[in-house]
Amino acid sequence: MKKMDKKEIELLERENTPDNVIRHCKAVYKKAMEIAANFDNVNEDLIRQGALLHDIGRSKTHGITHAVEGVEIARKYGYPTEVLNIIERHIGAGITRDEAVKLGLPEKSYIPQTLEEKIVAHADNLTSGSEEVDIDFVVSKWKRTIEDSDDNIERLIQLDNELIKAFEE
């Protein structure tokens, strides 16, 4: 990691984020930067901050609400709306308003909108623990663990096509 990443790592530690989650955040950052290299019009600083802090809410909970908790923590430290959106919208390939209600999240859409949000969300999808995984692994896992996963898997595949497959030769 570059020296400039130290601020976010120190913040994760200050918030008592578990070591395995910090390792995961570093791995997501690495994968996100690999994906970002395919694009000319991406804000790498937003990706760095968002990727490193995407799971800071896991310092409070390991449930689905960790994204919402993470936004509150990052807001307290003055992070801009763009970083807060990355943290909030990184869950899966995004969660619709209806899915959010079923999951007990505040009623709103958690679908990534910007390129930076999409990159961090998908880098997270492609990182299990601190290990990189492929899309087939993720699809298989989601089929086993997410009830009514068809829409989620369709969004995941669309995101993979947009961010990864479009650049493979």
Side-chain angles (χ1 to χ4, degrees):
M1 300 249 141
K2 300 175 192 169
K3 188 172 185 167
M4 66 184 203
D5 305 328
K6 192 173 181 182
K7 176 183 173 188
E8 282 71 35
I9 300 303
E10 287 175 351
L11 177 54
L12 290 166
E13 291 169 347
R14 187 176 314 123
E15 288 295 320
N16 297 313
T17 308
D19 290 341
N20 66 315
V21 174
I22 294 174
R23 284 191 301 275
H24 168 73
C25 290
K26 289 177 180 179
V28 169
Y29 165 64
K30 180 181 174 201
K31 183 63 180 176
M33 295 311 287
E34 287 174 18
I35 296 169
N38 292 320
F39 298 90
D40 295 328
N41 60 334
V42 70
N43 185 323
E44 290 184 1
D45 198 43
L46 283 180
I47 291 174
R48 175 185 57 78
Q49 292 174 23
L52 288 171
L53 296 176
H54 79 280
D55 271 352
I56 194 167
R58 291 192 182 275
S59 64
K60 306 288 184 236
T61 179
H62 286 286
I64 193 78
T65 60
H66 76 275
V68 175
E69 295 280 350
V71 167
E72 293 309 312
I73 295 167
R75 181 179 286 127
K76 178 176 72 173
Y77 288 98
Y79 280 89
T81 301
E82 295 86 358
V83 174
L84 302 179
N85 288 342
I86 290 171
I87 294 168
E88 186 172 68
R89 298 174 182 164
H90 84 272
I91 311 167
I95 294 174
T96 66
R97 177 183 301 271
D98 290 341
E99 291 166 343
V101 170
K102 290 178 186 173
L103 293 168
L105 292 167
E107 185 177 345
K108 64 194 282 185
S109 173
Y110 295 80
I111 303 285
Q113 302 296 310
T114 67
L115 182 56
E116 291 82 5
E117 291 169 18
K118 291 176 182 181
I119 287 171
V120 173
H122 202 46
D124 186 39
N125 293 333
L126 298 175
T127 307
S128 179
S130 57
E131 299 296 319
E132 190 172 321
V133 296
D134 64 18
I135 192 73
D136 294 329
F137 176 90
V138 181
V139 168
S140 176
K141 176 181 162 189
W142 285 15
K143 282 182 179 177
R144 289 190 317 270
T145 60
I146 300 175
E147 192 174 314
D148 299 323
S149 62
D150 292 346
D151 290 342
N152 300 81
I153 289 171
E154 185 177 321
R155 283 194 301 272
L156 172 71
I157 291 169
Q158 287 175 338
L159 200 53
D160 194 65
N161 288 338
E162 178 182 348
L163 300 176
I164 307 288
K165 297 285 190 284
F167 299 96
E168 291 180 346
E169 297 178 341

